[in-house]
Amino acid sequence: MNEQRNPHAESVLRLADAMVKTALWPGVATVVVGAIVATVLVGWAGLFGALIGGVIAFGSSLATLWMMRKSSGMEPMAVMAVSLGGYIFKLLVLLGVMTALGGIDALHRESLAFTMLAVILVWAAAEVIAFRRTKIPTIIPDGSK
């Protein structure tokens, strides 16, 4: 069977690959720095809070890349709808997780929050860098004539 090539899906998948390669190590470094700073300033509760915040931020960031991969074969407008819906869903999940973890005494709330925020910001910046470096045409011709 002759499967038709989807240049839009190829672009989205190539971009997702570039984003994870660019963001992975800066994200890990941010978690490590957050854990060290939180441990020095707060102690064990800071370490646990920073590590949990880092794991949550990594999960959130990887969920974005997973959504990109799963929606890559859709029409571009559908991909944008999935993106926006996924973003809103992730914000609600993060709010729920932060609320649920807020009352646990073994976790330092600020260490969790600041590490999570730092990782999300570093990851997002790395994704922007990956997007700018990845040569993806803005207009992808249909190819059918």
Side-chain angles (χ1 to χ4, degrees):
M1 178 172 241
N2 188 10
E3 200 170 305
Q4 192 172 18
R5 185 176 157 267
N6 183 344
H8 178 260
E10 290 172 7
S11 294
V12 171
L13 293 173
R14 192 170 76 209
L15 182 59
D17 288 342
M19 286 177 167
V20 76
K21 286 177 187 174
T22 304
L24 186 62
W25 290 114
V28 169
T30 305
V31 173
V32 170
V33 169
I36 290 170
V37 169
T39 302
V40 169
L41 294 178
V42 181
W44 289 109
L47 173 66
F48 297 142
L51 291 176
I52 296 295
V55 167
I56 292 169
F58 256 79
S60 170
S61 299
L62 290 172
T64 299
L65 296 172
W66 179 80
M67 282 189 301
M68 282 177 72
R69 291 186 167 288
K70 290 299 180 185
S71 66
S72 65
M74 297 177 177
E75 291 295 320
M77 291 304 287
V79 173
M80 293 304 291
V82 167
S83 252
L84 184 59
Y87 179 73
I88 292 168
F89 180 72
K90 278 186 358 180
L91 284 178
L92 293 173
V93 168
L94 288 174
L95 177 65
V97 168
M98 289 297 292
T99 302
L101 294 176
I104 298 176
D105 293 334
L107 300 175
H108 186 251
R109 178 186 283 180
E110 286 80 11
S111 297
L112 187 149
F114 287 131
T115 302
M116 185 172 75
L117 180 62
V119 171
I120 288 172
L121 290 175
V122 165
W123 192 286
E127 286 181 341
V128 169
I129 290 168
F131 178 77
R132 292 181 54 92
R133 287 183 183 163
T134 305
K135 303 296 182 203
I136 296 176
T138 305
I139 299 173
I140 302 171
D142 176 334
S144 62
K145 276 197 173 184

